[in-house]
Amino acid sequence: MNDAARKIEPIPARAEKSPLFREAPSNIEAEQALLGAILVNNDAFYRVSDFLKPEHFQEPLHRKIYEVGGDIIRMGKTANPVTIKTFLPADAKVGEMTVAQYLARLATEAVTIINAEDYGRAIYDLALRRSLISIGEDMVNIAYDAPLDMPPSTQIEDAERRLFELAETGRYDGGFQSFNDAVSLAIDMAGAAYQRDGGLSGISTGISSLDARMGGLQHSDLIVLAGRPGMGKTSLATNIAFNIAQAYEGEVQADGSMKAKNGGVVGFYSLEMSSEQLATRIISEQTEISSSKIRRGEITEADFEKLVGCSQMMQKIPFYIDQTGGISIAQLSARARRLKRQRGLDVLVIDYIQLMTGSGKSSDNRVQEITQITTGLKALGKELNVPIIALSQLSRQVENREDKRPQLSDLRESGSIEQDADVVLFVYREEYYTKNGEPRRTQDEIAADIKTPEYLAWEEKMLKVKGTADVIIAKQRHGPTGTVQLAFQAEFTRFEDLADNSYAQFIHDE
């Protein structure tokens, strides 16, 4: 507390070889001036309270005065030396003064509240600089004396994470959030849903029947999209990702930054396909030209014009692809932070979890590694405040059952996928299994177009399921489970709402 009473004296010139000593940047006089202005006129508090927190003050006594004064003002009472002193230690000394005398001194020497915001900004900026120094010191100390299980790449990722959090929130350490702040965020979310197209609290997937059940993709949620090979989980993920990027509509915030009003900026980690293959698939979906025809060059001049027009449109949407194979959770997190900082980020898609690697010793045990990956993805979603769609494989035991509809127990390699996920979606196409179960006919029966009762029953069943797919919502923290039935165009790998709205899109409700 002696710093609060000190007078800054000119620093004497040092001898050229004298040791260099630097104090952490602070401005005790600015802290005193701001607190004095608040004690004289409580309106000064509201000029700085939206960005200045008690921890931004360098002097501990000033932190306590600002915290107590703020609590009193928020209660609708007057904060002055008389009302504040009872909440401060009576036996504390500031130089030769008691705390009560020091409070009176601050109020007596107070300046006009016109400069209160400028003083607050100065205090805030200096606090950020002290945090930067702390991060830098930790980097140097760890680099000099690094633990054996901490490679340089891990230190770089940790430093990048702390710097990102400091840039985004003004501090790099987490802490408790008041319930009042949480309620305010909930009200803001409801207001955003009211203003957003479709009235959704989350980001629209572009598929109305899915949005109706989920309310869109909710911020910070980990959404696991799983299915057996051939079900179309990658196709559904690319459909949703493209719909979101195409619908992007930004609005400028008060601080000059951009925020998505509709749609969003999408980051897509394609660990299985190259960016060229992913782009070809999306072009096929949008132009309704088979991707196999595009690859073989079997297209007409009209088709080529459609491809050119689609590619020109796609170049303008905020859709970013990272095709690094076998990426670790730490590398993925670092790149996602960088993308959000440089371009913005509203939705993250990972195709798929089992192609990722963990960090550290857990790589010796695949179950522990998957647990580390899903835990890391959940933490990343909360940190960046974006929904993460993570694709996952299902175990082969699905194929051994008569009922091929997937269950939560089919999630491959770790129960942590089910535990960490906020939403679990399964893609299931009855058409895939029905088609493979076509009864065999002899050449004579085919030539004479003879259909056995068994074959006619198969045809009837095939007619019912052809061109449809079920998205099973097996788990959802924020809403009901159930099944959403969609139309699926296999040739273009495209999912969309069923054309006949009277068809029961929601079945097996729970």
Side-chain angles (χ1 to χ4, degrees), residues 167-179:
E168 289 295 305
T169 66
R171 63 180 186 275
Y172 63 87
D173 287 322
F176 285 104
Q177 181 186 41
S178 72
F179 187 67

Side-chain angles (χ1 to χ4, degrees), residues 363-383:
S363 58
D364 297 335
N365 185 312
R366 188 57 180 164
V367 173
Q368 290 181 4
E369 192 174 23
I370 291 294
T371 300
Q372 184 187 64
I373 290 169
T374 57
T375 303
L377 290 176
K378 179 59 184 171
L380 180 65
K382 292 183 70 175
E383 177 187 334

Side-chain angles (χ1 to χ4, degrees), residues 69 109 117 184 234 241 280 314 316 327 363 431 454 467 487:
E109 299 181 359
E117 187 172 354
S184 297
T234 299
T280 301
M314 288 176 63
K316 299 176 182 177
I327 193 171
S363 58
E431 178 187 3
E454 183 185 6

